[in-house]
Structures are given as structure tokens and as C-alpha cells.
Amino acid sequence: MQIQVVKSKIHRVKCTGAELNYIGSITIDEDLMEAANIIQGEKVQIVNNDNGERLETYCIPGPRNTGEITLNGAAARKVAVGDTLILITYAIMDFEEAKTFKPSLVFPDEATNLLK
């Protein structure tokens, strides 16, 4: 049996941008992506703590050490700059492997989105 489990989580970052006229995705500071073990193009679930929205898109790397978290395309309508977000990715794995798997959890500075 295979199950889906949390692989990566970037907890409580501020939305720094919302670009409606873009082809889609979420731009994430590449330092945060690496710390959370997230790769370019990976599916990301976005949970907006301020309005309750949940959506999925794919990620693209943003400039390092900027704290950038920008929702692009239609997803930009689901956030406002300054909203607090949780970013989550999942992996499918065997049940037994999932019992011992440890996800990559990142808790950036809530004011700057930078790694502590």
C-alpha cells in the first residue's frame, strides 16, 4: 500500500507579491526551497491563514535571500500582500517507509521570510 504524506513545509511566511498577469505558479526564495527540499516545478499546496483559501500550483525559484513569496496568475486572486501562508508539498511512499520518514520543516522569520 502507498500513502501520501507531508514531504516539505514552509510554515508561516508572508506573501510578498501577487502578480495576476503571469502564466501561473508561486515564486519562492530559492534559499527557502532548498531548506525545505522543494524543487522547481514541484506541486505546492498553499494555505492562506488570513482568508482560509487553499490552492495548489507549482513552484519556481525566486532570488536568494530575498524572502520572496509571490503568487502568480490566477492564484494571485486568492491572496493579498502581507497574508500569512503555509506552503506544503507531499510525497507518495510505501506505508512502512512513511512510518519512519521525516519531512523537511522550515520555520522562517515571520517578519522577513528569511531563514533564521
Side-chain angles (χ1 to χ4, degrees), residues 12-19 26-27 46 48 50 67-72 75-76 78-87 110 113:
R12 296 186 61 85
V13 287
K14 298 287 185 199
C15 177
T16 61
E19 299 293 333
I26 181 171
T27 304
I46 298 133
N48 188 327
D50 290 305
E68 181 177 358
I69 303 291
T70 300
L71 276 290
N72 303 306
K78 303 292 187 177
V79 299
V81 171
D83 282 357
T84 299
L85 309 176
I86 299 171
L87 312 178
E110 289 189 38
N113 292 347

Side-chain angles (χ1 to χ4, degrees), residues 18-35:
E19 299 293 333
L20 184 60
N21 295 315
Y22 193 87
I23 59 172
S25 70
I26 181 171
T27 304
I28 303 172
D29 176 325
E30 195 166 5
D31 287 339
L32 292 174
M33 286 178 61
E34 284 182 1

Side-chain angles (χ1 to χ4, degrees), residues 4-67:
Q4 192 172 24
V5 298
V6 173
K7 179 183 89 50
S8 307
K9 179 178 175 182
I10 302 174
H11 191 73
R12 296 186 61 85
V13 287
K14 298 287 185 199
C15 177
T16 61
E19 299 293 333
L20 184 60
N21 295 315
Y22 193 87
I23 59 172
S25 70
I26 181 171
T27 304
I28 303 172
D29 176 325
E30 195 166 5
D31 287 339
L32 292 174
M33 286 178 61
E34 284 182 1
N37 196 27
I38 298 172
I39 62 168
Q40 181 173 345
E42 187 169 355
K43 182 176 168 180
V44 177
Q45 180 182 45
I46 298 133
V47 179
N48 188 327
N49 280 5
D50 290 305
N51 66 17
E53 289 282 355
R54 288 178 168 261
L55 61 118
E56 294 177 339
T57 189
Y58 62 95
C59 66
I60 58 174
R64 290 182 181 278
N65 200 36
T66 61

